[in-house]
Amino acid sequence: MRAAPVIPVIVIDDLAHAVPLAESLVAGGLPVLEVTMRTPAALDAIRAMKAVEGAIVGAGTVTNPDQLAQALDAGSEFVVSPGLTERLGRAAIDSGVPFLPGIANAGDIMRGLDLGLTHFKFFPAMAAGGLPALKALAAPFGQCRFCPTGGIGLDTAPAWLAFDPVLCVGGSWVSPKGAPDRAQVEALAREAAALRS
């Protein structure tokens, strides 16, 4: 979460797009790549992107222990989930993989704390009330750190990053769907990597 201010949230439909996209993002200064498990190509994309020098590749949209096992088998170096269940949380903790579960309210955070977790994805960030909501949620949980994701763009990211408990933000704007335009993606990544609170 401290490697770069933005974690690209990546959807890969065509495996041929995986390596060029990863190379462009890493070249632009965004080494942490979250490949969402939303498409049939996701696991192969994780395997392919891991070969890119400097890339730290993980799986996103992991919703159950079976997906967790598949993500780990593909070589995921971290796992991100849209929510938090005790079953998934325990499986992730037992695996030893860095795990970033999604939270949207105080109950979610308390469930995570009960499991020994302190780092969370605030999701869906904008739909769940935006920065004012996270500020209110973070107040009673000073030990927690967050990666807001969902509806955040280049224009709003600086305000989130200026809030101390936020270590990074997740965003899809740096990794447009479809065949990657290397120069465009690298430029978007450089712009995002320059965002510092």
Side-chain angles (χ1 to χ4, degrees), residues 41-165:
L43 293 169
D44 286 334
I46 290 168
R47 290 185 184 96
M49 289 176 160
K50 280 184 59 68
V52 174
E53 188 174 347
I56 302 165
V57 186
T61 324
V62 173
T63 59
N64 58 61
D66 290 340
Q67 282 189 329
L68 173 70
Q70 292 173 341
L72 294 177
D73 186 56
S76 296
E77 296 170 78
F78 63 93
V79 170
V80 183
S81 175
L84 175 60
T85 64
E86 185 170 341
R87 190 166 159 255
L88 176 59
R90 291 203 182 282
I93 290 164
D94 289 347
S95 78
V97 70
F99 176 52
L100 191 64
I103 59 91
N105 58 53
D108 291 343
I109 295 172
M110 290 164 65
R111 186 178 311 115
L113 290 172
D114 282 350
L115 290 167
L117 301 168
T118 57
H119 289 63
F120 302 101
K121 171 169 107 165
F122 177 51
F123 177 81
M126 294 306 294
L131 186 54
L134 183 58
K135 285 183 175 180
L137 273 176
F141 302 108
Q143 71 273 52
C144 296
R145 295 295 174 262
F146 301 93
C147 173
T149 305
I152 296 171
L154 181 66
D155 55 336
T156 56
W160 290 94
L161 292 166
F163 181 46
D164 197 48

Side-chain angles (χ1 to χ4, degrees), residues 1-75:
M1 289 174 74
R2 295 183 190 274
V6 178
I7 296 177
V9 178
I10 299 167
V11 178
I12 296 288
D13 291 303
D14 183 341
L15 183 59
H17 301 161
V19 169
L21 181 61
E23 288 173 345
S24 302
L25 289 166
V26 171
L30 299 182
V32 182
L33 310 177
E34 178 189 336
V35 180
T36 61
M37 301 269 284
R38 298 178 193 175
T39 70
L43 293 169
D44 286 334
I46 290 168
R47 290 185 184 96
M49 289 176 160
K50 280 184 59 68
V52 174
E53 188 174 347
I56 302 165
V57 186
T61 324
V62 173
T63 59
N64 58 61
D66 290 340
Q67 282 189 329
L68 173 70
Q70 292 173 341
L72 294 177
D73 186 56

